Amino acid sequence: MTMIRKYWLSVVAILASIVVFLVPFAFIVLMAFKDQRQAALLDFSWPAGNALWSNVVEVVTTRNWMLVTAFINSTILTVASVTLLVIFGAMVGFVLQRRKTRFNGLIEFLILAGLMIPPAVVPTIWLLQGTGLFARLHGLVLIEVAYGLPFTILLYRAFIATIPRELDEAAIIDGARPFDVFFRVVLPLLWPVTVTNIVVQSVAIFNDFTNPLYFLPGNQNATVQLTLYNFQSQFSTSYNLLFTNIALITIPPLIVFLFFNRQIVAGMTAGAVKG
Amino acid sequence: MTATGTASAAPAPVLKRRSPYPGWFFLPAAIIYGVLFLLPTVASLYFSLTRWTLFNSTFIGLDNFAQFLREPFLIKGLINTILYAVITSGLKVVLGLLLAVLLTSQVAARGYLRSVVFFPVLVSTVGVGITFTVLMHPTNGMINEGLALLGIKGPGWLVDPNLALYSVALVDVWKGVGLATVIYIAGIVAIPKDYYEAARIDGATKLQNFFEITLPLCRPATSTVIILSFIGGLRTFDLIWAMTRGGPGFASDTVASVIYKQYQAGFYGLSTAGNVVLFVLVAALVIPLTMLLNRKQGHE
């Protein structure tokens, strides 16, 4: 009796997951294979022919290869921001966890504030214009770092608490300078949480739409999320192209997912429940 | 003797001065965070009180805020924001917990189910928004065609002003429930098995197990999920913008979309005032909520 019930529950769960989660993704892929006329019907039918390649070519070459520019921009943005986030975030997490001073309370307050407070958009634009960073990729890199730091620091701090102090002390007795203690002893030990941070932040930054929309206007600077937004008006009658674009920009997160699924889940939960 | 004494004494203060945990490690992060986050936040308190063109600003006192409270569509945006945050975080708590209980049980294809629920978390919000805009098309959309097969006439998900906000909220839950589930799974796995064994000896039912053991001992996970999704809900912009642009009319406008519209229209002072309103809203709702959730946790 319980066997049958357990069996039914599993079947229902799998069927529901297919309808709720897999069908929307299947829909995206099917649409990318259709030609314009069939895609306009918006239905969940099997593609009549295979228009995938011509769709891809058209999406990629349109507006002077904007999608290629966008992929390059998004890659630079993601790699640069995540690199800075990891190094600077780990440095703060390390000292904040190890050294107790009267400023710790203030720093922790600022970190929590950064997690909660919505960024003040227009004053930030004003500031970026004043410093010549507005509508520039490195300006957006710094913005992403500023907005990503609180969460990165939280994860690092929780993890550094589990690394024994004796290790730092041993290194110091062996004559290591503070700089070496951190970069050659501690940072390598932080690798598990660094992976989590890299994955979480790169997905967030790669998928970010709001900040590029505000701080990186202009077609030259488009990121992949903005191409979607720009193409949405241009391709409003060519759903095949719109969905080809969605399929193409979903590939990087899919790769991340295939490689890091377990680690993301483990790291996220470690941080979430402790933090 | 004295010579060696001073020689060995000399480095001591140097060591003491140079802590192994140098304060300058804070510097790079502090500069970036201070200049690009804290400074604009503080500046917004001033600029929200001005009529502002980015080049010069005229101080007009609380006029921007007065306008916020006068315009019906701005008030509507404020109410929508709170509704949206309550609905999405509420559904994520309930569905996330139920899914987590299911996915920690002996269900078949557990690994597959965990993956499939989590994957949307990683996908672009705008892509998801556009996909569901098409799926929710009132006549051709797959959702309504599917409902028609069951003999149900589907509503105009995104074109009905009474429904648009809730439709977007549902998509938000679809996309974000995986994160809530993962947090709950971690919470449930951390509960010692002894409790369930003791309960089994006492003859507890599954329902009792859930309400007397799982639910109370998951409280840290619950407060994490509530606070994360509540803050996310209050600040939501990209999904609303991709799906409805705040429409039809102003039916699904939230504070964040109002901020963007005012910015686009060149009303920088009003836009910044919107930001301050959002800031106050987040602080006023999230800080007491955090305290409440943590206090209850302390009593356990």
Side-chain angles (χ1 to χ4, degrees):
Chain A
M1 181 63 199
T2 46
M3 270 303 286
I4 294 169
R5 201 191 290 156
K6 207 175 278 174
Y7 174 76
W8 273 110
L9 189 62
S10 302
V11 171
V12 168
I14 291 167
L15 284 180
S17 77
I18 290 172
V19 172
V20 176
F21 288 103
L22 289 188
V23 165
F25 286 109
F27 181 74
I28 296 174
V29 175
L30 286 179
M31 288 292 267
F33 274 93
K34 292 176 183 176
D35 62 14
Q36 189 182 341
R37 276 178 59 191
Q38 204 197 350
L41 300 173
L42 303 182
D43 59 355
F44 192 75
S45 58
W46 197 253
N50 180 357
L52 179 65
W53 183 245
S54 65
N55 287 343
V56 169
V57 170
E58 189 162 354
V59 168
V60 170
T61 54
T62 193
R63 289 205 188 177
N64 277 327
W65 302 78
M66 185 157 130
L67 190 60
V68 177
T69 319
F71 259 106
I72 296 171
N73 283 341
S74 281
T75 309
I76 296 173
L77 173 70
T78 308
V79 172
S81 311
V82 172
T83 309
L84 294 181
L85 267 175
V86 162
I87 296 174
F88 295 163
M91 284 163 72
V92 173
F94 176 61
V95 179
L96 190 64
Q97 202 281 322
R98 285 294 200 253
R99 191 162 123 177
K100 302 285 171 233
T101 70
R102 59 208 157 95
F103 297 112
N104 278 25
L106 175 70
I107 295 169
E108 270 154 31
F109 169 77
L110 290 177
I111 291 172
L112 287 181
L115 286 175
M116 276 192 226
I117 297 174
V121 183
V122 192
T124 310
I125 291 174
W126 164 76
L127 194 98
L128 289 173
Q129 280 186 334
T131 47
L133 290 170
F134 183 61
R136 284 168 185 259
L137 203 52
H138 50 273
L140 186 59
V141 167
L142 293 177
I143 293 278
E144 298 286 5
V145 174
Y147 295 173
L149 271 171
F151 187 70
T152 312
I153 295 172
L154 270 188
L155 280 192
Y156 270 121
R157 209 179 73 109
F159 192 85
I160 288 166
T162 65
I163 293 181
R165 247 170 206 274
E166 285 74 19
L167 276 175
D168 320 356
E169 281 154 14
I172 292 159
I173 289 167
D174 286 348
R177 291 172 302 133
F179 193 80
D180 298 318
V181 172
F182 177 71
F183 281 97
R184 295 174 59 181
V185 179
V186 176
L187 195 55
L189 290 173
L190 300 180
W191 185 242
V193 76
T194 299
V195 172
T196 307
N197 269 323
I198 290 175
V199 170
V200 170
Q201 295 293 354
S202 58
V203 167
I205 294 169
F206 187 84
N207 284 336
D208 187 13
F209 167 70
T210 316
N211 295 320
L213 180 69
Y214 275 119
F215 303 120
L216 204 61
N219 284 343
Q220 279 307 305
N221 296 318
T223 64
V224 290
Q225 304 305 324
L226 288 188
T227 65
L228 214 49
Y229 178 62
N230 289 335
F231 291 167
Q232 201 181 2
S233 44
Q234 188 183 351
F235 293 160
S236 57
T237 52
S238 318
Y239 282 105
N240 54 329
L241 300 182
L242 195 56
F243 278 89
T244 305
N245 195 0
I246 295 177
L248 286 177
I249 71 166
T250 305
I251 292 173
L254 184 67
I255 294 172
V256 166
F257 175 71
L258 292 177
F259 277 98
F260 295 109
N261 187 13
R262 246 163 232 280
Q263 269 146 314
I264 308 170
V265 171
M268 202 107 78
T269 49
V273 178
K274 273 184 214 153
Chain B
M1 190 69 186
T2 42
T4 50
T6 47
S8 63
V14 176
L15 272 179
K16 201 177 181 187
R17 191 166 51 85
R18 274 200 191 172
S19 157
Y21 310 116
W24 68 262
F25 268 35
F26 288 131
L27 263 186
I31 291 172
I32 295 176
Y33 186 72
V35 172
L36 290 172
F37 182 80
L38 292 180
L39 197 64
T41 302
V42 174
S44 71
L45 297 178
Y46 169 73
F47 284 120
S48 65
L49 304 173
T50 65
R51 188 173 291 117
W52 187 24
T53 64
L54 282 187
F55 300 104
N56 49 56
S57 54
T58 335
F59 190 83
I60 54 167
L62 293 170
D63 273 13
N64 286 327
F65 294 97
Q67 193 171 347
F68 231 103
L69 298 176
R70 252 197 331 262
E71 300 268 3
F73 76 93
L74 295 177
I75 287 287
K76 173 100 178 144
L78 205 61
I79 295 166
N80 278 349
T81 306
I82 296 172
L83 263 179
Y84 187 93
V86 170
I87 292 169
T88 52
S89 55
L91 281 178
K92 281 178 194 174
V93 166
V94 174
L95 293 175
L97 180 57
L98 292 180
L99 279 170
V101 169
L102 178 71
L103 297 182
T104 48
S105 71
Q106 296 299 320
V107 73
R110 205 166 62 175
Y112 151 81
L113 286 171
R114 283 190 190 186
S115 303
V116 87
V117 170
F118 187 70
F119 183 57
V121 174
L122 301 179
V123 175
S124 125
T125 312
V126 183
V128 166
I130 293 174
T131 306
F132 272 90
T133 309
V134 170
L135 294 177
M136 286 176 162
H137 190 285
T139 51
N140 296 342
M142 224 185 67
I143 294 180
N144 279 359
E145 288 196 337
L147 289 176
L149 287 180
L150 303 173
I152 304 166
K153 194 187 176 309
W157 298 99
L158 296 168
V159 293
D160 182 345
N162 296 320
L163 213 63
L165 184 76
Y166 305 105
S167 304
V168 180
L170 283 183
V171 177
D172 190 319
V173 172
W174 179 89
K175 183 174 158 32
V177 77
L179 186 59
T181 308
V182 160
I183 294 170
Y184 268 122
I185 287 177
I188 290 173
V189 169
I191 298 172
K193 293 278 167 290
D194 322 11
Y195 291 108
Y196 294 104
E197 273 163 28
R200 203 186 55 210
I201 292 164
D202 290 347
T205 62
K206 284 205 161 165
L207 221 55
Q208 281 173 321
N209 269 349
F210 177 76
F211 281 107
E212 304 294 332
I213 303 174
T214 312
L215 194 58
L217 290 175
C218 267
R219 198 159 248 155
T222 305
S223 50
T224 307
V225 171
I226 292 180
I227 287 164
L228 271 184
S229 50
F230 196 67
I231 295 175
L234 289 177
R235 289 164 61 166
T236 186
F237 170 71
D238 37 13
L239 198 60
I240 295 264
W241 199 249
M243 293 187 73
T244 64
R245 306 266 150 102
F250 304 106
S252 64
D253 256 325
T254 62
V255 176
S257 72
V258 165
I259 291 171
Y260 185 68
K261 283 180 178 173
Q262 302 303 327
Y263 160 72
Q264 262 190 324
F267 299 129
Y268 299 127
L270 192 58
S271 176
T272 306
N275 237 315
V276 173
V277 169
L278 187 56
F279 172 113
V280 172
L281 193 68
V282 171
L285 294 177
V286 174
I287 292 172
L289 188 67
T290 316
M291 281 161 60
L292 185 77
L293 290 170
N294 287 344
R295 186 177 324 129
K296 277 189 179 164
Q297 203 175 307
H299 277 301
E300 288 293 325

